Amino acid sequence: MDIRPRSPQDMDACVAALAQVQAADRYPVDWPDDPARWLTPNGLVLAWVAVEGGSVLGHVALTGGMEVTRLFVSPAARGRGLAARLLDTVRAAADGPLKLEVSSEGQAAIVFYERSGWRRVASSRATWRNAAGEPALLHHYVSPPAGQSLTPPFGRPPTP
């Protein structure tokens, strides 16, 4: 397994992996008109991919606002600590604390972040709608202190 910066040549494989995640988890909630553009949000600083055997198994991005975004692991690659490794990669490249947001519908992701030391600091309503057709409830998190691994010490981390 290799985690490396995403290249333009990775985009088709990233979109294919995202389609698997969307089918399994409804992330993103609504399939974007341009999934490659969705994977490249405004303010993108860098994005990384987890690759094995030529397949993209995971993805994460960092914006200039120090926000972690577009984190996903393909269903077939879950349970291997890949989400934690992707987040550790972002933290190693960032200068200072990170933030992220997760929909209240993403229960597995919430459990993962909280068990990994991320701290919920606020909640707000999104401009997009959740599965029930209401403005989604977003929880906002900040990263654990520098030097603390995101892999929980008590076994295999749950995957988002």
Side-chain angles (χ1 to χ4, degrees):
M1 172 89 54
D2 184 36
I3 296 178
R4 60 171 172 72
R6 185 183 81 195
S7 73
Q9 293 78 22
D10 295 320
M11 196 54 71
D12 288 344
C14 289
V15 170
L18 181 64
Q20 294 171 9
V21 170
Q22 208 270 343
D25 304 323
R26 202 165 175 250
Y27 175 79
V29 171
D30 296 311
W31 186 251
D33 291 333
D34 183 351
R37 175 70 188 116
W38 184 86
L39 287 167
T40 308
N42 292 333
L44 178 73
V45 172
L46 193 58
W48 294 265
V49 290
V51 180
E52 185 174 69
S55 296
V56 170
L57 303 180
H59 179 277
V60 67
L62 177 66
T63 69
M66 301 303 285
E67 183 172 356
V68 175
T69 188
R70 307 318 193 245
L71 172 63
F72 61 86
V73 173
S74 66
R78 294 180 183 170
R80 298 168 52 184
L82 190 50
R85 288 185 56 202
L86 285 163
L87 285 173
D88 281 342
T89 299
V90 176
R91 290 178 70 211
D95 183 28
L98 298 171
K99 59 187 176 182
L100 60 80
E101 60 185 38
V102 62
S103 167
S104 63
E105 293 178 301
Q107 287 300 308
I110 290 168
V111 168
F112 167 73
Y113 295 132
E114 291 180 358
R115 286 179 64 183
S116 299
W118 287 73
R119 185 172 48 91
R120 187 183 306 181
V121 294
S123 296
S124 66
R125 290 289 174 180
T127 57
W128 48 271
R129 304 217 174 257
N130 63 17
E134 305 166 334
L137 177 61
L138 297 177
H139 299 303
H140 305 271
Y141 287 84
V142 295
S143 61
Q148 179 181 331
S149 172
L150 294 177
T151 304
F154 40 83
R156 195 173 86 192
T159 54

